[in-house]
C-alpha cells in the first residue's frame, strides 16, 4: 500500500461518492480472502491498515507446538521464539504474513473482491440518492427512444419514461431537456432502475411548489388535484393566511407563474379554484367556468345533484364530459348535472317566490297559530263593522221618518 493507492481511493470517493473507509474495509476483506485461497483457511488471520499512510499488515494466529502438522495454524517452538523469545509450547503467537507469498490466482481473486465491492457501493450510493428523490421532479436529458420507451439521463443514472407515463402527442428529441416526476426506484443487480412519469398529478404539484413561493413555504396549500395529462388539470387551493389570495398567488402577476407551468406542460390548460370545506360550494367552484343555480350534496353518500341554467349545461359537462369528470375527481363526489328545465320536469327543482319564507316544523306550527289568531281577529272586526253599519242604517231610517213627520205638520 502506498501514496498512489491512497490517492486512487480519494479519487473514487470524490467521483463516485464512495466512502474511503468502505473501500479500506473492502481491501481488508480481499487480503483475508487471498490468504484463504492460498492457505485454505482464514479463521486465524487479522489485517490492519493504517488509515493515514495506507500501510497494512497481515498476521496469522498460530499455536506453538513441538511437531508441526498444520502449517496454517501451527508453528514450531524454534520459529515461534524467533518472533517472541518468551514463547512456550501451547502459546498463541502472531506471525506476520507477507502478501508476496500469495499466489497469482489468489492475488487476482483479491483484486476481483475489491472491484466487486466498488461496484456494489456505487450501486448502493446511486440507489440511496435517487430513492431519496422519489415523488420529486427532476430535470433530465433525453438520450434515445427505445421502442415506445424513452431513456432519460438524470445525471449519474438513466431513467425509463414508459409509454403509459408519456403524454399522448408529446414527442422528444435526443439532447432535449425535460422535467419528469420520479415514480419509483428499484434496486437491481445492474444498478437502480428508475421509473419516471410525465402524466402523474404529482408533477403539476411539484411544479407549483418550485414556481410559487407561497406554496413552497406552506402559506398556500394544494388540497386536491385532478388531471387528464395533455388536456386539462383542475387544482383546488387553500390559504392559511387570510391576507393571501390562494388563486392569485398561484396565477401570479399577469398570469406569469401559471404560464411558466403551462409552458413546461406544453400547453396543458390549468383551472385553479378555491377550496372550501362546504362540499356544495366546493362542487360549485370545481365546475367553473360553468355557472351553477343550485347544488344539493349528500356528504354521507358522496353524491351531489347540480342544477345549471339550460344554456350552461354543455359547458358544465365539458367536451366529452371532461369538466364534470375532473370536478368529480377533484371533490370526491359523484356529480349528477341537470339543466334547469330537466330538474323541474323531474321534480328535483322548484321555483319559489322570493318573499316566501320557510321555517322548521316548530316554527311553522307557531306561525300557523299566529296566522289563525290573526284570521279570527279579522273576522271579529268584520262582524263588528257589519253590526255598526246595520245600526247606523236603522238610525238613519228613524231620522228620515222624523223629518217626514215634521214636513207634514
Amino acid at each position: 500500500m502506498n501514496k498512489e493507492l491512497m490517492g486512487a481511493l480519494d479519487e473514487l470517493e470524490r467521483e463516485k461518492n464512495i466512502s474511503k473507509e468502505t473501500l479500506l474495509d473492502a481491501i481488508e476483506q480481499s487480503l483475508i480472502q487471498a490468504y484463504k485461497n492460498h492457505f485454505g483457511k482464514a479463521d486465524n488471520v487479522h489485517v490492519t491498515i493504517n488509515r493515514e499512510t495506507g500501510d497494512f499488515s497481515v498476521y496469522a494466529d498460530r499455536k506453538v507446538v513441538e511437531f508441526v502438522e498444520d502449517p496454517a495454524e501451527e508453528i514450531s517452538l524454534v520459529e515461534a521464539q524467533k518472533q517472541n523469545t518468551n514463547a512456550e509450547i501451547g502459546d498463541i503467537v502472531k506471525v506476520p504474513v507477507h502478501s508476496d507469498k500469495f499466489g497469482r490466482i489468489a492475488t487476482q481473486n483479491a483484486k476481483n473482491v475489491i472491484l466487486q465491492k466498488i461496484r456494489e457501493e456505487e450501486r448502493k450510493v446511486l440507489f440511496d440518492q435517487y430513492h431519496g428523490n422519489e415523488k420529486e421532479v427532476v430535470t433530465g436529458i433525453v438520450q434515445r427512444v427505445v421502442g415506445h420507451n424513452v431513456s432519460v439521463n438524470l445525471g449519474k443514472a438513466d431513467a425509463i419514461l414508459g409509454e403509459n407515463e408519456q403524454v399522448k402527442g408529446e414527442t422528444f428529441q435526443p439532447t432535449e431537456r425535460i422535467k419528469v416526476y420520479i415514480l419509483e426506484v428499484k434496486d437491481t443487480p445492474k444498478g437502480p432502475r428508475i421509473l419516471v412519469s410525465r402524466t402523474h398529478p404529482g408533477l403539476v404539484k411539484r411544479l407549483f411548489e418550485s414556481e410559487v413561493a407561497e406554496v413552497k413555504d406552506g402559506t398556500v396549500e394544494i388540497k386536491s388535484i385532478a388531471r387528464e395529462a395533455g388536456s386539462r388539470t383542475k387544482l383546488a387551493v387553500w390559504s392559511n393566511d387570510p391576507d393571501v389570495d390562494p388563486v392569485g398567488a398561484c396565477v401570479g402577476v399577469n398570469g406569469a407563474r401559471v404560464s411558466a407551468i403551462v409552458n413546461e406542460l406544453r400547453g396543458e390548460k390549468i383551472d385553479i379554484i378555491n377550496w372550501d370545506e362546504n362540499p356544495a360550494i366546493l362542487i360549485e367552484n370545481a365546475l367553473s367556468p360553468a355557472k351553477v343555480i343550485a347544488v344539493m350534496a349528500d356528504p354521507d353518500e358522496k353524491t351531489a345533484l347540480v342544477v345549471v341554467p339550460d344554456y350552461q349545461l354543455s359547458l358544465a359537462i365539458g367536451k366529452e364530459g371532461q369538466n364534470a369528470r375532473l370536478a368529480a375527481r377533484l371533490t370526491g363526489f359523484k356529480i349528477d348535472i341537470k339543466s334547469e328545465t330537466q330538474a323541474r320536469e323531474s321534480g328535483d327543482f322548484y321555483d319559489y317566490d322570493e318573499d316566501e319564507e320557510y321555517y322548521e316544523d316548530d316554527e311553522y306550527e307557531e306561525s300557523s297559530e299566529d296566522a289563525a289568531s290573526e284570521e279570527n281577529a279579522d273576522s271579529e272586526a268584520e262582524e263588528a263593522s257589519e253590526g255598526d253599519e246595520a245600526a247606523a242604517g236603522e238610525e238613519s231610517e228613524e231620522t228620515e221618518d222624523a223629518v217626514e213627520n215634521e214636513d207634514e205638520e
Side-chain angles (χ1 to χ4, degrees):
M1 198 84 68
N2 49 40
K3 292 182 178 179
E4 287 76 11
L5 182 55
M6 294 300 289
L9 297 180
D10 290 335
E11 189 69 20
L12 281 170
E13 187 174 37
R14 284 192 301 270
E15 288 186 358
K16 300 185 180 294
N17 201 27
I18 302 174
S19 168
K20 186 196 293 186
E21 188 66 29
T22 301
L23 294 173
L24 290 171
D25 289 341
I27 293 172
E28 287 181 356
Q29 293 301 317
S30 70
L31 290 172
I32 293 175
Q33 185 64 38
Y35 182 93
K36 183 176 181 179
N37 292 336
H38 184 73
F39 292 99
K41 58 179 66 176
D43 297 336
N44 60 333
V45 176
H46 306 281
V47 178
T48 59
I49 299 178
N50 188 311
R51 265 49 179 173
E52 299 297 329
T53 64
D55 295 331
F56 72 95
S57 302
V58 181
Y59 294 95
D61 292 335
R62 293 181 182 175
K63 185 177 181 180
V64 180
V65 295
E66 187 173 354
F67 300 102
V68 177
E69 295 180 359
D70 185 355
E73 292 189 351
E74 298 174 342
I75 187 173
S76 66
L77 179 60
V78 175
E79 292 295 327
Q81 288 179 344
K82 291 179 181 180
Q83 304 295 330
N84 183 357
T85 55
N86 297 323
E88 296 179 358
I89 299 296
D91 290 347
I92 302 296
V93 296
K94 291 183 177 181
V95 180
V97 179
H98 300 289
S99 58
D100 55 5
K101 291 183 179 180
F102 297 159
R104 180 180 60 83
I105 295 177
T107 304
Q108 184 64 37
N109 289 339
K111 176 184 176 182
N112 292 337
V113 169
I114 297 174
L115 294 176
Q116 178 65 21
K117 185 63 175 179
I118 291 174
R119 285 193 289 268
E120 288 177 1
E121 286 300 314
E122 186 176 4
R123 288 198 298 268
K124 183 176 181 298
V125 168
L126 284 176
F127 174 78
D128 291 343
Q129 177 182 345
Y130 287 102
H131 186 265
N133 285 332
E134 271 190 1
K135 316 306 179 189
E136 298 291 340
V137 171
V138 295
T139 301
I141 300 175
V142 176
Q143 295 288 91
R144 59 190 179 279
V145 178
V146 183
H148 296 291
N149 298 330
V150 179
S151 176
V152 183
N153 181 265
L154 303 181
K156 294 182 179 180
D158 287 345
I160 300 172
L161 180 60
E163 181 181 8
N164 294 334
E165 302 300 333
Q166 298 175 34
V167 177
K168 291 182 179 180
E170 275 192 348
T171 57
F172 304 101
Q173 301 298 326
T175 71
E176 183 179 359
R177 298 177 71 87
I178 60 172
K179 289 186 184 295
V180 292
Y181 180 80
I182 298 180
L183 281 177
E184 184 181 14
V185 181
K186 298 179 179 178
D187 193 12
T188 69
K190 294 183 179 180
R193 187 170 186 266
I194 306 170
L195 304 178
V196 296
S197 173
R198 288 274 297 173
T199 62
H200 198 280
L203 175 63
V204 179
K205 182 177 181 180
R206 296 304 184 199
L207 289 175
F208 269 97
E209 288 178 354
S210 63
E211 193 69 32
V212 182
E214 290 83 355
V215 175
K216 187 174 183 179
D217 64 21
T219 303
V220 174
E221 289 184 39
I222 297 176
K223 290 286 193 177
S224 180
I225 297 179
R227 184 184 184 203
E228 291 191 358
S231 180
R232 183 180 292 274
T233 292
K234 282 185 179 288
L235 198 75
V237 293
W238 168 266
S239 176
N240 293 311
D241 186 342
D243 296 330
V244 176
D245 175 20
V247 175
C250 292
V251 172
V253 179
N254 295 327
R257 289 175 171 178
V258 73
S259 294
I261 297 171
V262 168
N263 292 336
E264 178 59 40
L265 299 177
R266 303 191 178 188
E268 183 175 316
K269 296 180 178 64
I270 299 178
D271 295 338
I272 306 174
I273 68 164
N274 282 305
W275 171 270
D276 200 290
E277 294 295 338
N278 186 325
I281 298 176
L282 178 61
I283 291 169
E284 180 180 352
N285 294 342
L287 288 171
S288 174
K291 305 299 181 184
V292 174
I293 295 177
V295 178
M296 288 151 276
D298 186 345
D300 297 328
E301 298 294 330
K302 287 291 183 179
T303 59
L305 172 64
V306 178
V307 181
V308 299
D310 291 357
Y311 68 94
Q312 291 274 298
L313 181 61
S314 60
L315 181 62
I317 295 174
K319 184 179 180 181
E320 298 179 352
Q322 184 186 68
N323 195 56
R325 190 164 55 248
L326 287 175
R329 290 181 194 169
L330 189 73
T331 60
F333 277 71
K334 182 179 179 181
I335 301 175
D336 182 17
I337 303 176
K338 291 185 178 182
S339 68
E340 190 176 355
T341 302
Q342 291 172 338
R344 279 208 209 94
E345 291 175 352
S346 63
D348 295 325
F349 183 70
Y350 303 94
D351 284 332
Y352 299 108
D353 293 335
E354 293 182 358
D355 295 334
E356 194 168 357
E357 296 181 358
Y358 295 88
Y359 304 86
E360 298 294 337
D361 293 342
D362 295 341
E363 294 179 352
Y364 182 77
E365 291 176 1
E366 292 176 1
S367 300
S368 301
E369 292 174 359
D370 293 342
S373 299
E374 290 178 1
E375 288 179 2
N376 292 334
D378 292 343
S379 299
E380 292 175 359
E382 288 177 2
E383 290 175 0
S385 176
E386 290 175 357
D388 292 341
E389 289 177 358
E394 292 175 358
E395 192 174 319
S396 175
E397 289 178 359
E398 291 176 357
T399 303
E400 288 177 358
D401 292 340
V403 170
E404 288 177 359
N405 292 332
E406 287 178 358
D407 290 340
E408 289 177 356
E409 290 176 357

